[in-house]
Amino acid sequence: MTLRLVFMGTPDFAVPTLSELVGQGHEIAAVYTRAPKAAGRRGMELTKTPVHLFAESCGLPVHTPRTLREEETLDVFTAHQADAAVVVAYGLILPKAALDAPRLGCLNLHASLLPRWRGAAPIQRAVMAGDAETGVMVMRMEEGLDTGPVAAAERLPIGADETAGELHDRLSRLGADLMGRAIGALGRGGLAFRPQDQDGVTYAAKIEKAEARIDWSRPASVVHNQIRGLSPFPGAWFEAPGPRGPERVKVLRATRAEGAGAPGELIDDRLTVACGEGAVRLLLLQRAGKAPVDAGAFLNGARLGPGARLG
């Protein structure tokens, strides 16, 4: 049974789910996404979100309200007469009037094993915390932050060196399939919900800029998880000696390594760096304004060797 849906999402993470619903033949009455943002060097160009661009390529009507709390905007939303709304990383709060408008409610795809990592950055926080697994869940939305009852879930192991970017892509595809199955069950009247556990609640706060600087005095496990949890964006960084003084360098990939030394010290010629406990080997790095390079190319350009200290 096909349903009349409103889709609400913004980043590339949400695109596979919209694609799945379109492919299943559901009627997409409207797509809601964040308004285009100013971009370019002078901020003169407006950049549409990935969901906006995909929706246009499918010929779907797109709405970009800056809030859903205004009466006029709510009237437009209600007028779609949707059976359900599907929400994937939309970025705007849905007031109760919007949550109640679709006949069968609003379903949200969330990238964690709720109630762990409710909030804005569940993928990055799971990696930074060193979690061994995560997943995606479909829940019915309510006014609380990711507190609604859950209808479906899929679990996924997190690789030892896997970055948040890589995990993001796997969860995006897995979530699209899960939501497609959930909407199918909803249309047949066979989608059951269960309340979330009250134990194990954690919150995935938005990543702050101050969290990106690497502190080599911390244990290698923490540094390693920080690097992969912030890759590719915003990128964990350190300062390295440069011809014009210290320069900021992002680390996009690393692995745990053997060895010890003073925190921040290079302990071999393979870009292995000592931490407060243990060491990490840096594999992929990026100077400001430059393309990412592997450790060998970075060392050739930086002229660093064993005994050098990274800030």
Side-chain angles (χ1 to χ4, degrees), residues 238 240-245 247 249 266 268-271 285 287 293-310:
F238 64 89
R244 300 176 182 174
E247 61 177 352
V249 180
L266 295 184
D268 62 17
D269 58 1
R270 302 179 64 196
L271 207 52
L285 305 96
R287 290 186 175 90
V293 296
D294 62 22
F298 175 80
L299 286 172
N300 288 338
R303 299 176 184 265
L304 297 173
R309 295 288 291 274
L310 304 181

Side-chain angles (χ1 to χ4, degrees), residues 49-64:
T49 71
V51 165
H52 193 150
L53 294 172
F54 181 80
E56 286 188 335
S57 74
C58 297
L60 301 174
V62 178
H63 298 261
T64 59

Side-chain angles (χ1 to χ4, degrees), residues 2 13 26 32 42 49 116 130 167 184 201-202 206 227 260 262 288 295-296:
T2 59
F13 181 85
H26 295 289
Y32 280 70
R42 298 182 180 179
T49 71
R116 184 163 177 80
L167 183 59
V201 174
T202 59
K206 181 180 178 180
I227 289 170

Side-chain angles (χ1 to χ4, degrees), residues 177-201:
D177 177 72
L178 182 67
M179 181 61 81
R181 287 185 276 126
I183 290 296
L186 184 69
R188 297 188 299 271
L191 192 63
F193 294 85
R194 58 173 177 80
Q196 291 186 35
D197 293 336
Q198 296 304 305
D199 297 330
V201 174

Side-chain angles (χ1 to χ4, degrees), residues 42-293:
R42 298 182 180 179
M44 301 296 288
E45 302 174 9
L46 291 179
T47 301
K48 297 177 180 179
T49 71
V51 165
H52 193 150
L53 294 172
F54 181 80
E56 286 188 335
S57 74
C58 297
L60 301 174
V62 178
H63 298 261
T64 59
R66 298 190 181 278
T67 178
L68 288 169
R69 297 187 181 278
E70 296 176 352
E71 183 176 354
E72 183 178 350
T73 304
L74 284 171
D75 288 344
V76 172
F77 183 79
T78 302
H80 295 307
Q81 296 184 318
D83 294 314
V86 174
V87 183
V88 186
Y90 178 36
L92 290 181
I93 295 174
L94 274 62
K96 188 176 188 303
L99 295 173
D100 293 342
R103 181 175 63 88
L104 299 175
C106 299
L107 300 188
N108 175 244
L109 177 69
H110 188 75
S112 81
L113 298 176
L114 294 166
R116 184 163 177 80
W117 302 128
R118 294 173 177 173
I123 298 174
Q124 291 166 305
R125 292 298 178 189
V127 177
M128 292 173 73
D131 290 359
E133 68 170 358
T134 186
V136 284
M137 284 186 161
V138 172
M139 68 174 180
R140 185 171 61 221
M141 296 180 70
E142 55 184 31
E143 291 185 271
L145 177 63
D146 299 328
T147 58
V150 173
E154 288 283 358
R155 309 177 84 90
L156 199 65
I158 301 175
D161 287 336
E162 187 169 19
T163 67
E166 293 166 337
L167 183 59
H168 165 284
D169 293 347
R170 292 206 294 147
L171 289 172
S172 179
R173 295 189 295 269
L174 185 65
D177 177 72
L178 182 67
M179 181 61 81
R181 287 185 276 126
I183 290 296
L186 184 69
R188 297 188 299 271
L191 192 63
F193 294 85
R194 58 173 177 80
Q196 291 186 35
D197 293 336
Q198 296 304 305
D199 297 330
V201 174
T202 59
Y203 290 93
K206 181 180 178 180
I207 302 296
E208 300 293 339
K209 290 183 179 180
E211 298 181 78
R213 183 164 190 166
I214 297 173
D215 181 354
W216 301 111
S217 68
R218 303 173 80 185
S221 59
V222 174
V223 172
H224 179 231
N225 292 338
Q226 177 191 16
I227 289 170
R228 62 197 190 96
L230 298 181
S231 177
F233 182 82
W237 60 274
F238 64 89
E239 288 186 338
R244 300 176 182 174
E247 61 177 352
R248 183 178 297 194
V249 180
K250 289 184 179 182
V251 184
L252 301 178
R253 185 174 296 280
T255 191
R256 296 282 300 275
E258 299 294 329
E265 179 186 358
L266 295 184
I267 57 177
D268 62 17
D269 58 1
R270 302 179 64 196
L271 207 52
T272 300
V273 188
C275 300
E277 296 175 9
V280 295
R281 183 153 53 90
L282 310 185
L283 304 176
L284 187 66
L285 305 96
Q286 184 177 25
R287 290 186 175 90
K290 304 293 184 180
V293 296

